[in-house]
């Protein structure tokens, strides 16, 4: 079965950096666009970043543009999210997801598979 397993979350001070990873199995990774979403307590899940099949194009929410970078290594079936200049408002559970279709890449309901999430907490 398909599994997406996130890792690398943790506690970091404001202004710091963190990289989260997502290892995929049970699917042909290169046939999926990959995305990162986040959800803070009491809030809806929101789009963070996404990358196309070969990593040629990436997309970001305005709130993270210039601070976060998404990348992927198809040989390792892994997608990454490098987060720099972190702010307390970045605190959330971060989820990776796989999109096997052609729909909008920023909408959660366009994704077929989800990981269990990894917590990122940014202290002020």
């Amino acid at each position: 079965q398909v599994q997406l397993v996130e890792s690398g979350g943790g506690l970091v001070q404001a202004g710091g950096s963190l990289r989260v990873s997502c290892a995929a199995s049970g699917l042909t990774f290169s046939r999926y666009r990959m995305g990162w979403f986040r959800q803070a307590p009491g809030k809806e899940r929101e789009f963070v970043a996404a990358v196309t099949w070969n990593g040629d194009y990436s997309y970001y929410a305005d709130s993270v543009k210039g601070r976060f970078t998404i990348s992927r290594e198809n040989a390792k079936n892994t997608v990454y999210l490098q987060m720099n200049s972190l702010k307390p408002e970045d605190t959330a559970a971060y989820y990776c997801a796989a999109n096997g279709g052609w729909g909008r890449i920023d909408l959660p309901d366009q994704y077929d598979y989800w990981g269990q999430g990894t917590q990122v907490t940014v202290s002020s």
Side-chain angles (χ1 to χ4, degrees):
Q1 73 277 20
V2 175
Q3 280 193 311
L4 302 177
V5 180
E6 301 96 336
S7 61
L11 174 64
V12 63
Q13 288 190 331
S17 298
L18 206 60
R19 187 177 82 158
V20 291
S21 304
C22 172
S25 60
L27 76 171
T28 305
F29 186 69
S30 61
R31 293 184 181 177
Y32 287 80
R33 296 181 294 175
M34 298 299 295
W36 285 97
F37 290 77
R38 67 187 181 186
Q39 188 167 19
K43 295 189 176 181
E44 291 188 355
R45 189 166 297 190
E46 65 172 358
F47 171 74
V48 175
V51 64
T52 53
W53 301 269
N54 289 325
D56 292 343
Y57 296 96
S58 55
Y59 305 88
Y60 298 93
D62 288 342
S63 58
V64 306
K65 204 170 291 184
R67 300 188 297 122
F68 290 12
T69 302
I70 188 171
S71 61
R72 65 189 295 164
E73 284 190 75
N74 286 351
K76 294 184 177 181
N77 286 3
T78 301
V79 60
Y80 307 97
L81 184 68
Q82 176 67 43
M83 302 181 287
N84 299 330
S85 302
L86 282 160
K87 304 175 182 180
E89 50 264 43
D90 295 318
T91 295
Y94 282 72
Y95 299 87
C96 76
N99 180 323
W102 297 85
R104 282 183 57 175
I105 207 167
D106 60 332
L107 296 180
D109 63 6
Q110 296 295 307
Y111 285 76
D112 303 292
Y113 304 106
W114 291 84
Q116 82 289 348
T118 186
Q119 180 66 34
V120 172
T121 302
V122 184
S123 64
S124 57

